[in-house]
Amino acid sequence: MDSGPDFDTVADELYAVLPAEFIAARTDAVAQAKATDKGLARRIGELGKPTLAAWTVNLLVRESGDQVQELVELGDLLRRAQDDLDPDQLRALDKQRRQVVRAVAREAAKQARRAGNPVSEQVVVQVEETLKAAVADPSAAEQVLAGRLTGALTYNGLGTPSGSTQPVRPTGRPPRRPSAPAEPPPPPVDLDAARAAKAERAARRETEEQLRAARADLRAARSAVDDAAGESEQATAAAREAAQAAGAARRARDDAEGRVQELETALAQARERAEQAGAEATTADREAEQAEADRAAAEEDLQRAEADRDAAQQRVDALS
């Protein structure tokens, strides 16, 4: 007989949904659990809604748990370096911690954006603080790796992370055993063997540091490639738009050049007609001048003829 899902399964499913959908999903899960297990329904109802920063860290644990685990291991290295009082190694590991935390926080922001719930820069800062707490304190690391945070964590430097989280699942790690009673000091050891063992430990730590640094560089390079790919897509789209605009401008230029040619042809024809009209006007002026001269000559002839007529009339009158 199927007893239905257990608490861990339901909790994991709830903390995988988007923050805006959490309340409705929890209400549905409580209603389903009430039919078979009222105690389970009560525990589900007590699950708190995660903040946006907590949801982003939970998403990171589900999608890239290996990166978070590497951060936790880096915290172990830092604590060993503190125990060994190795300032150089401590400074190198602390620098690497800051780089890796920033790179992983940026990766978490990208995952949130791909999941359809982009986060602000303020939320990314809270994610970084939570990851710093996971690096600095084993209990914070356990809470983060559980993937059920309800709020961002901060580290107060006293070994206790502050923030909100749901009870975590067992991680499979054995509990720390109490320190054994003090024993008498061991007999002297071979100094050469001790030096060789110390050198081997130092070499191993250096190799681990180089591996962590190489992984950090790889993540940074991947992030740079993703950013460059996004910029390339934007540049391609801008180039496509510019090409379309250039094509439209060329077509407009061709249309304008065609219109200019039409206007230039019409202007040439108009000038030709104007020149022809000017020549005709000149000819007409000459003809008008000649006509005026002819009129004046005719008028003079008329006056002479009239004078001759009057003289003839006078002679006739005298003879009569």
Side-chain angles (χ1 to χ4, degrees):
M1 179 178 179
D2 186 5
S3 59
D6 58 13
F7 175 78
D8 287 334
T9 300
V10 174
D12 288 341
E13 292 175 352
L14 285 177
Y15 286 107
V17 303
L18 296 175
E21 302 172 358
F22 181 87
I23 299 299
R26 184 184 63 187
T27 301
D28 292 342
V30 169
Q32 293 177 6
K34 281 183 178 179
T36 56
D37 190 336
K38 296 187 182 304
L40 174 61
R42 183 179 62 258
R43 293 181 64 192
I44 294 173
E46 293 172 351
L47 293 174
K49 176 183 177 180
T51 64
L52 191 52
W55 173 84
T56 304
V57 175
N58 294 338
L59 175 65
L60 176 67
V61 171
R62 289 193 303 274
E63 299 293 333
S64 302
D66 55 338
Q67 294 188 18
V68 182
Q69 185 63 47
E70 288 178 8
L71 277 177
V72 173
E73 293 173 1
L74 182 59
D76 294 337
L77 286 175
L78 278 168
R79 283 186 289 276
R80 286 208 300 270
Q82 290 173 338
D83 294 339
D84 293 341
L85 300 178
D86 188 341
D88 292 337
Q89 186 186 34
L90 183 60
R91 283 192 294 270
L93 288 176
D94 187 62
K95 179 180 179 181
Q96 182 182 349
R97 173 190 64 82
R98 293 193 299 270
Q99 293 174 344
V100 174
V101 166
R102 282 195 296 269
V104 174
R106 287 196 299 269
E107 175 63 24
K110 291 180 180 178
Q111 292 177 358
R113 184 170 62 252
R114 288 195 294 267
N117 201 35
V119 296
S120 65
E121 186 62 29
Q122 181 180 2
V123 172
V124 175
V125 171
Q126 294 176 359
V127 171
E128 286 191 27
E129 291 298 320
T130 301
L131 295 177
K132 289 178 184 177
V135 173
D137 186 79
S139 63
E142 188 175 8
Q143 294 174 12
V144 169
L145 289 172
R148 298 183 192 172
L149 290 178
T150 59
L153 300 180
T154 56
Y155 185 66
N156 57 21
L158 301 177
T160 303
S162 60
S164 178
T165 179
Q166 293 296 330
V168 301
R169 296 167 294 175
T171 62
R173 299 179 180 176
R176 294 186 177 181
R177 297 180 179 178
S179 302
E183 298 180 356
V189 296
D190 187 346
L191 292 179
D192 292 337
R195 292 191 186 97
K198 182 177 180 180
E200 181 181 356
R201 289 195 299 272
R204 185 169 58 252
R205 285 195 298 268
E206 183 178 359
T207 301
E208 291 174 347
E209 293 169 13
Q210 293 175 352
L211 177 60
R212 297 295 188 280
R215 287 174 174 171
D217 292 342
L218 177 59
R219 281 191 292 271
R222 286 174 176 170
S223 177
V225 168
D226 291 341
D227 294 341
E231 293 176 357
S232 176
E233 291 178 359
Q234 293 177 358
T236 300
R240 188 182 303 112
E241 293 177 357
Q244 293 174 352
R250 283 193 296 270
R251 289 191 294 272
R253 180 202 61 191
D254 294 342
D255 293 343
E257 289 179 348
R259 180 58 179 164
V260 167
Q261 291 178 354
E262 292 176 358
L263 292 175
E264 287 178 346
T265 301
L267 177 60
Q269 292 174 351
R271 285 175 175 171
E272 183 178 353
R273 288 194 298 270
E275 290 177 357
Q276 183 178 0
E280 292 176 353
T282 301
T283 301
D285 288 341
R286 291 197 188 101
E287 291 176 351
E289 291 175 355
Q290 184 62 43
E292 179 63 22
D294 293 344
R295 184 194 63 76
E299 186 173 352
E300 290 177 358
D301 291 342
L302 176 60
Q303 290 177 355
R304 284 195 297 270
E306 288 178 346
D308 292 343
R309 183 200 61 188
D310 292 341
Q313 183 66 44
Q314 289 177 358
R315 285 196 299 270
V316 170
D317 290 341
L319 294 176
S320 296

Coordinates of all heavy atoms in Angstrom, one line a residue, residues 255-287:
D255 N 16.2 56.6 -54.8 CA 14.9 57.4 -55.2 C 15.2 58.9 -55.3 O 14.7 59.5 -56.3 CB 13.8 57.1 -54.1 CG 13.4 55.7 -54.1 OD1 13.6 55.0 -55.0 OD2 12.8 55.3 -53.0
A256 N 16.0 59.4 -54.4 CA 16.3 60.9 -54.5 C 17.1 61.2 -55.8 O 16.9 62.2 -56.5 CB 17.0 61.3 -53.3
E257 N 18.1 60.3 -56.1 CA 18.9 60.5 -57.2 C 18.1 60.4 -58.5 O 18.2 61.2 -59.5 CB 20.0 59.5 -57.3 CG 21.1 59.7 -56.3 CD 22.2 58.7 -56.3 OE1 22.0 57.6 -57.0 OE2 23.3 58.8 -55.7
G258 N 17.1 59.5 -58.5 CA 16.2 59.4 -59.7 C 15.4 60.6 -59.8 O 15.2 61.1 -61.0
R259 N 14.9 61.1 -58.7 CA 14.1 62.4 -58.7 C 14.9 63.5 -59.2 O 14.4 64.4 -60.0 CB 13.5 62.6 -57.4 CG 12.6 63.9 -57.3 CD 11.4 63.8 -58.2 NE 10.6 65.0 -58.1 CZ 9.7 65.3 -59.0 NH1 9.5 64.6 -60.1 NH2 9.0 66.4 -58.9
V260 N 16.2 63.6 -58.8 CA 17.1 64.7 -59.2 C 17.3 64.6 -60.7 O 17.3 65.7 -61.4 CB 18.4 64.6 -58.4 CG1 19.4 65.5 -59.1 CG2 18.2 65.0 -57.0
Q261 N 17.5 63.4 -61.2 CA 17.7 63.3 -62.7 C 16.5 63.8 -63.4 O 16.6 64.4 -64.4 CB 18.0 61.8 -63.0 CG 19.4 61.4 -62.5 CD 19.6 59.9 -62.8 OE1 18.7 59.2 -63.3 NE2 20.9 59.5 -62.6
E262 N 15.3 63.4 -62.9 CA 14.0 63.8 -63.6 C 13.9 65.4 -63.6 O 13.6 66.0 -64.6 CB 12.8 63.2 -62.9 CG 12.7 61.7 -63.0 CD 11.5 61.2 -62.2 OE1 10.9 61.9 -61.5 OE2 11.3 59.9 -62.3
L263 N 14.3 66.0 -62.4 CA 14.2 67.4 -62.3 C 15.2 68.1 -63.2 O 15.0 69.1 -63.8 CB 14.4 67.8 -60.9 CG 13.2 67.4 -59.9 CD1 13.6 67.8 -58.5 CD2 11.9 68.1 -60.3
E264 N 16.4 67.5 -63.2 CA 17.5 68.1 -64.1 C 17.1 68.0 -65.6 O 17.3 69.0 -66.3 CB 18.8 67.3 -63.9 CG 19.5 67.6 -62.6 CD 20.7 66.9 -62.4 OE1 21.0 65.9 -63.2 OE2 21.5 67.2 -61.5
T265 N 16.4 66.9 -66.0 CA 15.9 66.8 -67.4 C 14.9 67.8 -67.7 O 14.9 68.5 -68.7 CB 15.4 65.4 -67.6 OG1 16.4 64.4 -67.4 CG2 14.9 65.2 -69.1
A266 N 13.9 68.0 -66.7 CA 12.9 69.0 -66.9 C 13.4 70.4 -66.9 O 13.0 71.2 -67.7 CB 11.9 68.8 -65.8
L267 N 14.5 70.6 -66.1 CA 15.1 72.0 -66.1 C 15.8 72.2 -67.4 O 15.7 73.4 -68.0 CB 16.1 72.0 -65.0 CG 16.9 73.4 -64.9 CD1 15.9 74.5 -64.6 CD2 17.9 73.3 -63.7
A268 N 16.5 71.2 -68.0 CA 17.2 71.4 -69.3 C 16.1 71.7 -70.4 O 16.3 72.6 -71.2 CB 18.0 70.2 -69.6
Q269 N 15.0 71.0 -70.3 CA 14.0 71.2 -71.3 C 13.4 72.6 -71.2 O 13.1 73.3 -72.2 CB 12.9 70.1 -71.2 CG 13.4 68.7 -71.6 CD 12.3 67.7 -71.3 OE1 11.3 68.0 -70.7 NE2 12.5 66.5 -71.8
A270 N 13.2 73.0 -70.0 CA 12.6 74.4 -69.7 C 13.6 75.4 -70.2 O 13.2 76.4 -70.8 CB 12.3 74.5 -68.2
R271 N 14.9 75.2 -70.0 CA 15.9 76.2 -70.4 C 15.9 76.3 -72.0 O 16.0 77.3 -72.5 CB 17.3 75.8 -69.9 CG 17.5 76.1 -68.4 CD 18.8 75.6 -68.0 NE 19.1 76.0 -66.6 CZ 20.1 75.5 -65.8 NH1 20.9 74.6 -66.4 NH2 20.2 75.9 -64.6
E272 N 15.8 75.1 -72.6 CA 15.8 75.0 -74.1 C 14.6 75.8 -74.6 O 14.7 76.6 -75.5 CB 15.7 73.6 -74.5 CG 15.8 73.4 -76.0 CD 15.8 72.0 -76.5 OE1 15.9 71.1 -75.6 OE2 15.7 71.7 -77.7
R273 N 13.4 75.6 -73.9 CA 12.2 76.3 -74.4 C 12.4 77.8 -74.1 O 11.9 78.7 -74.9 CB 11.0 75.8 -73.6 CG 10.6 74.4 -74.1 CD 9.2 74.0 -73.6 NE 9.1 74.0 -72.1 CZ 9.4 72.9 -71.4 NH1 9.7 71.7 -72.0 NH2 9.3 72.9 -70.1
A274 N 13.0 78.2 -73.0 CA 13.2 79.6 -72.7 C 14.1 80.2 -73.7 O 13.9 81.4 -74.2 CB 13.8 79.7 -71.3
E275 N 15.2 79.5 -74.1 CA 16.1 80.0 -75.1 C 15.4 80.2 -76.5 O 15.5 81.2 -77.2 CB 17.3 79.1 -75.3 CG 18.2 79.1 -74.1 CD 19.4 78.1 -74.3 OE1 19.4 77.4 -75.3 OE2 20.2 78.0 -73.4
Q276 N 14.5 79.2 -76.8 CA 13.8 79.3 -78.1 C 12.8 80.5 -78.0 O 12.7 81.3 -79.0 CB 13.0 78.0 -78.3 CG 12.3 78.0 -79.7 CD 11.6 76.7 -79.9 OE1 11.7 75.8 -79.1 NE2 10.9 76.6 -81.0
A277 N 12.1 80.6 -76.9 CA 11.2 81.8 -76.7 C 11.9 83.1 -76.8 O 11.5 84.1 -77.4 CB 10.5 81.6 -75.4
G278 N 13.2 83.1 -76.2 CA 14.0 84.4 -76.3 C 14.3 84.7 -77.7 O 14.3 85.9 -78.1
A279 N 14.7 83.6 -78.5 CA 15.1 83.9 -79.9 C 13.9 84.4 -80.7 O 13.9 85.3 -81.5 CB 15.6 82.6 -80.5
E280 N 12.7 83.8 -80.4 CA 11.5 84.2 -81.1 C 11.1 85.7 -80.7 O 10.7 86.5 -81.5 CB 10.4 83.3 -80.7 CG 10.5 81.9 -81.3 CD 9.5 80.9 -80.9 OE1 8.6 81.3 -80.0 OE2 9.4 79.8 -81.4
A281 N 11.4 86.0 -79.4 CA 11.1 87.3 -79.0 C 12.0 88.4 -79.6 O 11.6 89.5 -80.0 CB 11.2 87.4 -77.4
T282 N 13.3 88.0 -79.8 CA 14.2 88.9 -80.5 C 13.8 89.1 -81.9 O 13.8 90.2 -82.5 CB 15.6 88.3 -80.5 OG1 16.0 88.1 -79.1 CG2 16.6 89.2 -81.1
T283 N 13.4 88.0 -82.6 CA 12.9 88.1 -84.0 C 11.7 89.0 -84.1 O 11.5 89.9 -85.0 CB 12.6 86.7 -84.6 OG1 13.8 86.0 -84.5 CG2 12.1 86.8 -86.0
A284 N 10.8 88.8 -83.1 CA 9.5 89.6 -83.1 C 9.8 91.1 -82.9 O 9.2 92.0 -83.5 CB 8.6 89.1 -82.0
D285 N 10.9 91.3 -82.0 CA 11.2 92.7 -81.7 C 11.8 93.4 -83.0 O 11.5 94.5 -83.3 CB 12.3 92.8 -80.6 CG 11.7 92.5 -79.3 OD1 10.5 92.6 -79.1 OD2 12.5 92.1 -78.4
R286 N 12.6 92.6 -83.7 CA 13.2 93.1 -85.0 C 12.0 93.4 -86.0 O 12.0 94.5 -86.7 CB 14.2 92.2 -85.6 CG 15.4 92.0 -84.8 CD 16.5 91.3 -85.7 NE 17.7 91.0 -84.9 CZ 17.9 89.8 -84.4 NH1 17.1 88.8 -84.7 NH2 19.0 89.5 -83.7
E287 N 11.1 92.5 -86.1 CA 10.0 92.7 -87.0 C 9.1 93.9 -86.6 O 8.6 94.6 -87.5 CB 9.1 91.4 -87.1 CG 9.9 90.2 -87.8 CD 9.0 89.0 -87.7 OE1 8.0 89.0 -87.0 OE2 9.4 88.0 -88.4

